[in-house]
Amino acid sequence: MITDPRPLTNMRRPIIAGNWKMNMGPEKAFDLMDNMLEQLDAIEDVDIVICPSFVSLETFADMFDGTSLFLGAQNMFWEEQGAFTGEVSPLMLQSMCDYVILGHSERRQYFHESDQDVRRKVDAALSHDLMPIICVGENLQENEAGRTLEIIERHVTAAFEGLDQQYVNKCVIAYEPIWAIGTGKPATGEGANRVFGAIRRKVADLHGDTAAQEIRIQYGGSVNKENIAEFISQPEIDGALVGGASLKPGEFVRIVAVTSQAKRMPAPKRK
């Protein structure tokens, strides 16, 4: 049980990730990134992760070389190779990416990914030196039925139960209430912070207080330049997984800048 999360809160380095989803081919993606790369690279104290579509990963790997930005993929299969038409393996991503988004609600909803599928992907990512951003969150019906914590605890347990202790804090958790994604109706900062506290308690149950205090948790769901300060000012919230706003250079730069101003930490060594 976490007795007091506050003393270690400021030790977690903030992280902002942009999920570009299924938008733009390599040329347009390059132009969009080129419009904000220099500004983002100049911002300190935040880990910045950009997750374009698979077809743009190689282009971005070259662009990010020599910068402070990290590259992430939007999904990944758990097998290294084989007869899995259309899938992308961790071996294919390992040489290009630092992070990979796993268990996003759109993958769970449209492609019927189960908690067990997500766990297989988490294990595969970690064994190939990729840092998973593990998405958890409840839908509107579950929220209105008062099942938020039940759903969150199920997702966290599936992803972390029995995980080797050395890997726990190589993961990032993204709490995305499904009812807030792309709707323009985000959760409140205070409400999200309470859920984050429950997430940390569940991680503590599984892996101890230190792991729970150290793991980074992002908020996702209609994040923009107007509301990022409300979220990032909360003690348990370490950053954001940004969707539509990450496709707007000025807005995304502002989100990262506000985060940097709110939470200052020294830069870690890159892998």
Side-chain angles (χ1 to χ4, degrees), residues 168-185:
V168 174
N169 290 314
K170 294 182 183 297
C171 301
V172 176
I173 299 174
Y175 169 56
E176 292 197 307
I178 300 170
W179 46 270
I181 299 174
T183 64
K185 299 178 181 179

Side-chain angles (χ1 to χ4, degrees), residues 10-15 44-47 216 238 265-268:
N10 291 332
M11 294 180 66
R12 297 188 296 267
R13 181 174 170 84
I15 178 170
E44 300 179 345
D45 307 307
V46 180
D47 285 349
R216 295 185 293 179
D238 306 311
M265 280 293 295

Side-chain angles (χ1 to χ4, degrees), residues 33 42 45 108 130 188:
M33 193 68 239
D45 307 307
R108 294 178 189 261
L130 293 163
T188 65

